[in-house]
Amino acid sequence: MKQLILISIATIAFLGGSAMAGPPDYKQPAPPPPPPNYGVGFYGAIDLGANVYQNRGGTRTFTQDNPNLLGFGDTLTVDPKNDVGFFGGVKLGYVFGTGVVRPTVEGDFFYNGFRGGGNFTLRDSFGDVLAQRNVTTWINTGAFMGNFILRFAPGNQKFQPYVGAGVGVYYAESAGTQLTNPNTGTVTVNTGGGRSHADLAWQIIAGSDYYWTPKFSTFIEYKFLEYTSTQIDTNHSRVLGQQLIGAGVRFHF
């Protein structure tokens, strides 16, 4: 009996102590971290691609229409070459803000090389071919452009298309001219040197990034690039419209 009384007293004491202890402490869970911002602030990029087309003008025909000179009625047809070229360069820029629309300023510096020249055909007044020659030269250029771009970062910000435009200057140098007889393949003239020219340039840009991490992306880009010739006084337009398609990687600091 005494043992039963002692057990009852111990049970009452334990229950009384638990009641006086109060409810357990409640700790509020920490709020989740904000989602990361992809592609903000300063960046550098490397890109390269193909100069798929440059509009150096269409085919033109010149006629010798002076009856007092030799070859009256002869025609010379000039067909410019618009061969595929190569470009590659670097970009440095800054993305403003973290919203869906993000203004961006960018310096775009790249090498742009392509093959120039043309095919020449001389015909007499009856249309018979008197001579044919192919002129080939490689043109090396460097472009230094300042771009203003609008970037769009919807949803989770990983896919970011963009459009923009830029102005700047370019420097071009011909690597020399090679004159070839298309019938025999003989090189009849090789100047071994060329001329240089610097002038204004402008471009229109469209592209898209995909961000693998908040600071690293791969991108594709299209450029319509035009080299002007304001320093050359001619009776015809000397602008050079080019279509460039490339890809690259972008790193944010």
Side-chain angles (χ1 to χ4, degrees), residues 123-148:
R123 292 181 172 87
D124 61 19
S125 58
F126 300 100
D128 297 325
V129 176
L130 301 178
Q132 288 181 308
R133 294 294 184 271
N134 295 339
V135 176
T136 301
T137 183
W138 184 262
I139 301 173
N140 299 299
T141 76
F144 310 90
M145 311 294 291
N147 300 326
F148 176 76

mmCIF file of all heavy atoms in Angstrom, residues 123-148:
data_model
loop_
_atom_site.group_PDB
_atom_site.id
_atom_site.type_symbol
_atom_site.label_atom_id
_atom_site.label_comp_id
_atom_site.label_asym_id
_atom_site.label_seq_id
_atom_site.Cartn_x
_atom_site.Cartn_y
_atom_site.Cartn_z
ATOM 1 N N ARG A 123 33.737 42.580 -124.193
ATOM 2 C CA ARG A 123 33.089 42.088 -125.411
ATOM 3 C C ARG A 123 33.135 43.158 -126.486
ATOM 4 O O ARG A 123 33.130 44.361 -126.196
ATOM 5 C CB ARG A 123 31.631 41.709 -125.134
ATOM 6 C CG ARG A 123 31.430 40.493 -124.243
ATOM 7 C CD ARG A 123 29.960 40.179 -124.058
ATOM 8 N NE ARG A 123 29.740 38.906 -123.370
ATOM 9 C CZ ARG A 123 29.687 38.759 -122.063
ATOM 10 N NH1 ARG A 123 29.824 39.829 -121.299
ATOM 11 N NH2 ARG A 123 29.483 37.577 -121.521
ATOM 12 N N ASP A 124 33.135 42.687 -127.748
ATOM 13 C CA ASP A 124 33.086 43.647 -128.847
ATOM 14 C C ASP A 124 31.636 44.032 -129.142
ATOM 15 O O ASP A 124 30.709 43.593 -128.447
ATOM 16 C CB ASP A 124 33.781 43.081 -130.097
ATOM 17 C CG ASP A 124 33.127 41.810 -130.632
ATOM 18 O OD1 ASP A 124 31.946 41.542 -130.288
ATOM 19 O OD2 ASP A 124 33.776 41.069 -131.395
ATOM 20 N N SER A 125 31.446 44.844 -130.164
ATOM 21 C CA SER A 125 30.103 45.357 -130.472
ATOM 22 C C SER A 125 29.145 44.260 -130.912
ATOM 23 O O SER A 125 27.929 44.456 -130.913
ATOM 24 C CB SER A 125 30.198 46.434 -131.551
ATOM 25 O OG SER A 125 30.824 45.916 -132.727
ATOM 26 N N PHE A 126 29.662 43.086 -131.310
ATOM 27 C CA PHE A 126 28.819 41.965 -131.723
ATOM 28 C C PHE A 126 28.497 41.025 -130.552
ATOM 29 O O PHE A 126 27.787 40.028 -130.726
ATOM 30 C CB PHE A 126 29.496 41.166 -132.841
ATOM 31 C CG PHE A 126 29.769 41.984 -134.069
ATOM 32 C CD1 PHE A 126 31.040 42.485 -134.309
ATOM 33 C CD2 PHE A 126 28.756 42.276 -134.973
ATOM 34 C CE1 PHE A 126 31.296 43.233 -135.444
ATOM 35 C CE2 PHE A 126 29.012 43.031 -136.108
ATOM 36 C CZ PHE A 126 30.283 43.529 -136.342
ATOM 37 N N GLY A 127 29.058 41.310 -129.363
ATOM 38 C CA GLY A 127 28.812 40.480 -128.190
ATOM 39 C C GLY A 127 29.807 39.367 -127.992
ATOM 40 O O GLY A 127 29.643 38.560 -127.061
ATOM 41 N N ASP A 128 30.824 39.265 -128.866
ATOM 42 C CA ASP A 128 31.845 38.226 -128.709
ATOM 43 C C ASP A 128 32.826 38.605 -127.605
ATOM 44 O O ASP A 128 33.227 39.772 -127.484
ATOM 45 C CB ASP A 128 32.597 38.020 -130.021
ATOM 46 C CG ASP A 128 31.688 37.529 -131.146
ATOM 47 O OD1 ASP A 128 30.758 36.758 -130.838
ATOM 48 O OD2 ASP A 128 31.893 37.930 -132.309
ATOM 49 N N VAL A 129 33.234 37.607 -126.812
ATOM 50 C CA VAL A 129 34.153 37.844 -125.711
ATOM 51 C C VAL A 129 35.557 38.059 -126.241
ATOM 52 O O VAL A 129 36.105 37.216 -126.955
ATOM 53 C CB VAL A 129 34.130 36.669 -124.718
ATOM 54 C CG1 VAL A 129 35.175 36.879 -123.621
ATOM 55 C CG2 VAL A 129 32.741 36.512 -124.098
ATOM 56 N N LEU A 130 36.134 39.202 -125.900
ATOM 57 C CA LEU A 130 37.515 39.507 -126.284
ATOM 58 C C LEU A 130 38.507 39.108 -125.196
ATOM 59 O O LEU A 130 39.615 38.657 -125.499
ATOM 60 C CB LEU A 130 37.652 41.006 -126.583
ATOM 61 C CG LEU A 130 36.765 41.556 -127.699
ATOM 62 C CD1 LEU A 130 36.971 43.049 -127.835
ATOM 63 C CD2 LEU A 130 37.062 40.843 -129.022
ATOM 64 N N ALA A 131 38.128 39.278 -123.945
ATOM 65 C CA ALA A 131 39.040 38.950 -122.837
ATOM 66 C C ALA A 131 38.240 38.811 -121.551
ATOM 67 O O ALA A 131 37.169 39.424 -121.395
ATOM 68 C CB ALA A 131 40.107 40.020 -122.685
ATOM 69 N N GLN A 132 38.766 37.994 -120.634
ATOM 70 C CA GLN A 132 38.192 37.829 -119.298
ATOM 71 C C GLN A 132 39.314 37.822 -118.273
ATOM 72 O O GLN A 132 40.372 37.216 -118.501
ATOM 73 C CB GLN A 132 37.395 36.521 -119.195
ATOM 74 C CG GLN A 132 36.075 36.514 -119.947
ATOM 75 C CD GLN A 132 35.342 35.193 -119.767
ATOM 76 O OE1 GLN A 132 35.897 34.120 -119.983
ATOM 77 N NE2 GLN A 132 34.083 35.259 -119.350
ATOM 78 N N ARG A 133 39.093 38.479 -117.159
ATOM 79 C CA ARG A 133 40.060 38.495 -116.077
ATOM 80 C C ARG A 133 39.328 38.472 -114.736
ATOM 81 O O ARG A 133 38.237 39.024 -114.593
ATOM 82 C CB ARG A 133 40.957 39.740 -116.130
ATOM 83 C CG ARG A 133 41.885 39.792 -117.344
ATOM 84 C CD ARG A 133 42.912 38.687 -117.315
ATOM 85 N NE ARG A 133 43.847 38.811 -118.424
ATOM 86 C CZ ARG A 133 43.668 38.258 -119.621
ATOM 87 N NH1 ARG A 133 42.551 37.551 -119.858
ATOM 88 N NH2 ARG A 133 44.575 38.410 -120.558
ATOM 89 N N ASN A 134 39.930 37.823 -113.743
ATOM 90 C CA ASN A 134 39.414 37.794 -112.383
ATOM 91 C C ASN A 134 40.386 38.539 -111.473
ATOM 92 O O ASN A 134 41.590 38.241 -111.472
ATOM 93 C CB ASN A 134 39.259 36.359 -111.877
ATOM 94 C CG ASN A 134 38.210 35.588 -112.658
ATOM 95 O OD1 ASN A 134 37.347 36.187 -113.293
ATOM 96 N ND2 ASN A 134 38.277 34.264 -112.614
ATOM 97 N N VAL A 135 39.872 39.495 -110.719
ATOM 98 C CA VAL A 135 40.684 40.244 -109.777
ATOM 99 C C VAL A 135 40.284 39.835 -108.360
ATOM 100 O O VAL A 135 39.094 39.854 -108.015
ATOM 101 C CB VAL A 135 40.496 41.765 -109.959
ATOM 102 C CG1 VAL A 135 41.273 42.528 -108.896
ATOM 103 C CG2 VAL A 135 40.947 42.188 -111.342
ATOM 104 N N THR A 136 41.277 39.459 -107.554
ATOM 105 C CA THR A 136 41.015 38.991 -106.202
ATOM 106 C C THR A 136 41.898 39.738 -105.216
ATOM 107 O O THR A 136 43.082 39.939 -105.461
ATOM 108 C CB THR A 136 41.295 37.483 -106.079
ATOM 109 O OG1 THR A 136 40.461 36.775 -106.995
ATOM 110 C CG2 THR A 136 41.011 36.990 -104.668
ATOM 111 N N THR A 137 41.317 40.152 -104.108
ATOM 112 C CA THR A 137 42.074 40.762 -103.025
ATOM 113 C C THR A 137 41.431 40.392 -101.697
ATOM 114 O O THR A 137 40.228 40.115 -101.649
ATOM 115 C CB THR A 137 42.134 42.295 -103.177
ATOM 116 O OG1 THR A 137 42.949 42.830 -102.127
ATOM 117 C CG2 THR A 137 40.746 42.907 -103.088
ATOM 118 N N TRP A 138 42.220 40.352 -100.614
ATOM 119 C CA TRP A 138 41.690 40.097 -99.282
ATOM 120 C C TRP A 138 41.709 41.405 -98.513
ATOM 121 O O TRP A 138 42.726 42.096 -98.456
ATOM 122 C CB TRP A 138 42.522 39.053 -98.553
ATOM 123 C CG TRP A 138 41.937 38.704 -97.209
ATOM 124 C CD1 TRP A 138 42.311 39.194 -95.998
ATOM 125 C CD2 TRP A 138 40.856 37.806 -96.953
ATOM 126 N NE1 TRP A 138 41.537 38.663 -94.990
ATOM 127 C CE2 TRP A 138 40.633 37.815 -95.563
ATOM 128 C CE3 TRP A 138 40.061 37.004 -97.766
ATOM 129 C CZ2 TRP A 138 39.649 37.049 -94.951
ATOM 130 C CZ3 TRP A 138 39.080 36.245 -97.153
ATOM 131 C CH2 TRP A 138 38.881 36.258 -95.773
ATOM 132 N N ILE A 139 40.579 41.760 -97.912
ATOM 133 C CA ILE A 139 40.425 43.030 -97.214
ATOM 134 C C ILE A 139 40.346 42.769 -95.716
ATOM 135 O O ILE A 139 39.478 42.028 -95.247
ATOM 136 C CB ILE A 139 39.164 43.774 -97.700
ATOM 137 C CG1 ILE A 139 39.261 44.021 -99.202
ATOM 138 C CG2 ILE A 139 39.001 45.088 -96.946
ATOM 139 C CD1 ILE A 139 38.003 44.594 -99.809
ATOM 140 N N ASN A 140 41.268 43.361 -94.976
ATOM 141 C CA ASN A 140 41.295 43.254 -93.523
ATOM 142 C C ASN A 140 40.763 44.549 -92.917
ATOM 143 O O ASN A 140 41.211 45.639 -93.276
ATOM 144 C CB ASN A 140 42.718 43.017 -93.027
ATOM 145 C CG ASN A 140 43.309 41.737 -93.571
ATOM 146 O OD1 ASN A 140 42.795 40.654 -93.321
ATOM 147 N ND2 ASN A 140 44.399 41.847 -94.327
ATOM 148 N N THR A 141 39.813 44.433 -91.990
ATOM 149 C CA THR A 141 39.245 45.614 -91.350
ATOM 150 C C THR A 141 39.169 45.415 -89.846
ATOM 151 O O THR A 141 39.076 44.289 -89.348
ATOM 152 C CB THR A 141 37.831 45.940 -91.882
ATOM 153 O OG1 THR A 141 36.888 45.039 -91.314
ATOM 154 C CG2 THR A 141 37.770 45.841 -93.396
ATOM 155 N N GLY A 142 39.192 46.533 -89.139
ATOM 156 C CA GLY A 142 38.943 46.542 -87.704
ATOM 157 C C GLY A 142 37.852 47.551 -87.400
ATOM 158 O O GLY A 142 37.923 48.703 -87.857
ATOM 159 N N ALA A 143 36.830 47.149 -86.659
ATOM 160 C CA ALA A 143 35.705 48.027 -86.332
ATOM 161 C C ALA A 143 35.711 48.318 -84.834
ATOM 162 O O ALA A 143 35.955 47.421 -84.016
ATOM 163 C CB ALA A 143 34.387 47.386 -86.740
ATOM 164 N N PHE A 144 35.414 49.569 -84.490
ATOM 165 C CA PHE A 144 35.397 50.028 -83.097
ATOM 166 C C PHE A 144 34.053 50.729 -82.891
ATOM 167 O O PHE A 144 33.885 51.888 -83.260
ATOM 168 C CB PHE A 144 36.569 50.967 -82.832
ATOM 169 C CG PHE A 144 37.894 50.415 -83.281
ATOM 170 C CD1 PHE A 144 38.348 50.655 -84.572
ATOM 171 C CD2 PHE A 144 38.663 49.640 -82.433
ATOM 172 C CE1 PHE A 144 39.562 50.139 -85.001
ATOM 173 C CE2 PHE A 144 39.870 49.119 -82.854
ATOM 174 C CZ PHE A 144 40.328 49.366 -84.144
ATOM 175 N N MET A 145 33.094 50.007 -82.298
ATOM 176 C CA MET A 145 31.709 50.453 -82.245
ATOM 177 C C MET A 145 31.249 50.683 -80.806
ATOM 178 O O MET A 145 31.656 49.972 -79.880
ATOM 179 C CB MET A 145 30.798 49.411 -82.895
ATOM 180 C CG MET A 145 31.257 48.915 -84.262
ATOM 181 S SD MET A 145 31.220 50.184 -85.527
ATOM 182 C CE MET A 145 29.452 50.421 -85.686
ATOM 183 N N GLY A 146 30.376 51.685 -80.647
ATOM 184 C CA GLY A 146 29.678 51.901 -79.383
ATOM 185 C C GLY A 146 28.206 51.568 -79.575
ATOM 186 O O GLY A 146 27.534 52.168 -80.417
ATOM 187 N N ASN A 147 27.670 50.620 -78.794
ATOM 188 C CA ASN A 147 26.306 50.121 -78.985
ATOM 189 C C ASN A 147 25.399 50.520 -77.821
ATOM 190 O O ASN A 147 25.827 50.542 -76.662
ATOM 191 C CB ASN A 147 26.291 48.592 -79.090
ATOM 192 C CG ASN A 147 27.129 48.083 -80.250
ATOM 193 O OD1 ASN A 147 27.211 48.732 -81.289
ATOM 194 N ND2 ASN A 147 27.738 46.927 -80.077
ATOM 195 N N PHE A 148 24.142 50.827 -78.146
ATOM 196 C CA PHE A 148 23.089 50.961 -77.139
ATOM 197 C C PHE A 148 22.102 49.822 -77.369
ATOM 198 O O PHE A 148 21.586 49.643 -78.480
ATOM 199 C CB PHE A 148 22.366 52.294 -77.237
ATOM 200 C CG PHE A 148 21.226 52.411 -76.272
ATOM 201 C CD1 PHE A 148 21.470 52.656 -74.930
ATOM 202 C CD2 PHE A 148 19.915 52.241 -76.690
ATOM 203 C CE1 PHE A 148 20.423 52.743 -74.019
ATOM 204 C CE2 PHE A 148 18.861 52.341 -75.794
ATOM 205 C CZ PHE A 148 19.116 52.588 -74.455
#
